[in-house]
Amino acid sequence: MHKAPPTIGGVFSPLAYIASRWTPSPRTVQRAALTALVMSVVIVVTGGAVRLTGSGLGCDTWPKCTDDSLFATPAQGFHGAIEFGNRMLTYVLCAAVGWGIVAARSAKPWRRSLTKLGWIQFVIVMGNAVLGGITVMTGLNPYSVAGHFLLATSLIAVTTVTWQRTREGDTAPRPRVPAPVRKLSWAMLAATLVLIAAGTVVTGSGPHAGDSSDIKRMPFDWTTTAHVHAVAAWLVCALAVAMWLVLRVVDAPDDTRARARDLLLVLLAQGAIGYVQFFTKVPEVLVSAHMLGSCLVWIAVLRVALSLRERPDARAEIPAQPDPALSASV
């Protein structure tokens, strides 16, 4: 039986075709994963810029920018350019995710777990693009806007895990700290999710609707929701301090304690921004910085949790040494 020519194989399995001709280094795979993580944060920050400049309906339809044009037109002015620019960044994000998938598939040996994580990223990006279109077509409904942000947060979670996994093996995870410490990390993750969800309610009931028109907001008192958000933030801070102290008590590895320290620093900066923006009537610049801080807090919490276990590379073992007696006999 004759084998199919390589070009035909490339048509039926392009990823396998590329993998047969390119072997990226481990550093290249790591950089690809990090690029996807960075772009998942960038798309959140630029999406915030769209809302804060009132450009949410700069392109008033989807997937086109107008009924007659795929691109922003001069008549749409500044707001159209901002909204269209953010949409274009989605393609950059897709390219970053695609690069990660190709790099993971082409690595030798093929690590299927990384490829699966890459495809999960792709599905989330596509789902969020559709939800973004629904958000535009519903006139920036605050609930769909909140869902849009939460999906972006889930993308950040997957890209963070993927980046970590590129620096590990595929063996079963083994703990580096006692079980109670790991349970504390799960509590911190849950509290952070509540914090982020509460933040979307603050935004949805706040003054920044995303467009200059009269857009209906969530029917909650903004001051009350801001206080609830602050309580959740203090809870996360308390858990982060507890984690930092516990890791010192159990003599956790240095890198794990460094992750806990980084989390405290990010929380300190984020809390300062949050209180300043509350008492200064929520200026746009600080809201944008707070959105960036939200992403960094989420990444820092995930990195702490991921540092509490390890997946050694099964290949990273000391190679067998030749028997001197056998060498001498030869």
Side-chain angles (χ1 to χ4, degrees):
M1 183 176 180
H2 297 287
K3 295 178 64 176
T7 52
I8 296 178
V11 172
F12 287 105
S13 183
L15 289 179
Y17 182 77
I18 295 173
S20 67
R21 284 157 175 76
W22 177 53
T23 301
S25 66
R27 184 177 294 274
T28 298
V29 178
Q30 293 169 16
R31 287 174 176 171
L34 180 58
T35 301
L37 172 58
V38 170
M39 280 307 305
S40 66
V41 174
V42 169
I43 202 72
V44 170
V45 176
T46 57
V50 170
R51 290 180 52 76
L52 295 171
T53 57
S55 305
L57 294 177
C59 291
D60 54 8
T61 188
W62 185 90
K64 293 183 177 180
C65 201
T66 69
D67 290 334
D68 303 319
S69 175
L70 179 63
F71 307 99
T73 63
Q76 293 172 299
F78 172 77
H79 294 308
I82 293 293
E83 165 64 6
F84 182 72
N86 184 63
R87 292 188 184 187
M88 290 299 99
L89 279 177
T90 301
Y91 294 102
V92 179
L93 174 60
C94 288
V97 170
W99 180 32
I101 293 173
V102 172
R105 177 62 183 86
S106 301
K108 305 294 186 300
W110 175 20
R111 297 182 58 188
R112 288 173 171 81
S113 59
L114 291 182
T115 307
K116 290 178 181 178
L117 285 169
W119 283 113
I120 292 173
Q121 294 175 32
F122 181 77
V123 170
I124 294 174
V125 171
M126 292 298 98
N128 218 8
V130 173
L131 184 55
I134 294 173
T135 300
V136 171
M137 291 187 287
T138 56
L140 303 183
N141 180 284
Y143 295 99
S144 62
V145 170
H148 196 50
F149 181 79
L150 292 176
L151 261 184
T153 301
S154 68
L155 176 63
I156 291 174
V158 178
T159 52
T160 301
V161 171
T162 306
W163 181 43
Q164 176 66 26
R165 291 298 308 278
T166 60
R167 295 173 293 165
E168 300 176 329
D170 283 326
T171 56
R174 65 188 187 194
R176 306 174 76 193
V177 295
V181 181
R182 300 197 301 275
K183 291 180 180 179
L184 178 60
S185 74
W186 283 109
M188 191 165 62
L189 280 167
T192 305
L193 284 173
V194 171
L195 172 64
I196 293 172
T200 64
V201 177
V202 174
T203 301
S205 56
H208 296 298
D211 187 75
S212 57
S213 59
D214 185 19
I215 294 174
K216 187 178 181 180
R217 315 301 291 138
M218 290 183 180
F220 307 110
D221 178 70
W222 181 77
T223 302
T224 302
T225 58
H227 285 312
V228 171
H229 182 61
V231 170
W234 278 111
L235 175 59
V236 173
C237 288
L239 291 171
V241 171
M243 176 64 74
W244 180 72
L245 292 173
V246 168
L247 290 176
R248 295 178 66 87
V249 170
V250 301
D251 195 24
D254 290 341
D255 63 303
T256 299
R257 285 189 283 176
R259 298 291 80 76
R261 178 204 61 207
D262 295 344
L263 172 59
L264 287 176
L265 293 175
V266 173
L267 283 171
L268 180 64
Q270 177 73 337
I273 294 171
Y275 275 105
V276 171
Q277 73 170 1
F278 177 80
F279 290 111
T280 55
K281 305 301 181 182
V282 202
E284 287 83 352
V285 173
L286 288 182
V287 174
S288 182
H290 200 60
M291 292 184 68
L292 173 60
S294 174
C295 298
L296 297 180
V297 166
W298 182 225
I299 292 171
V301 170
L302 288 167
R303 293 191 72 195
V304 170
L306 291 170
S307 71
L308 302 183
R309 91 286 182 276
E310 61 184 355
R311 293 175 181 266
D313 192 339
R315 296 169 297 165
E317 298 177 352
I318 299 176
Q321 301 297 318
D323 189 330
L326 293 176
S327 300
S329 64
V330 174

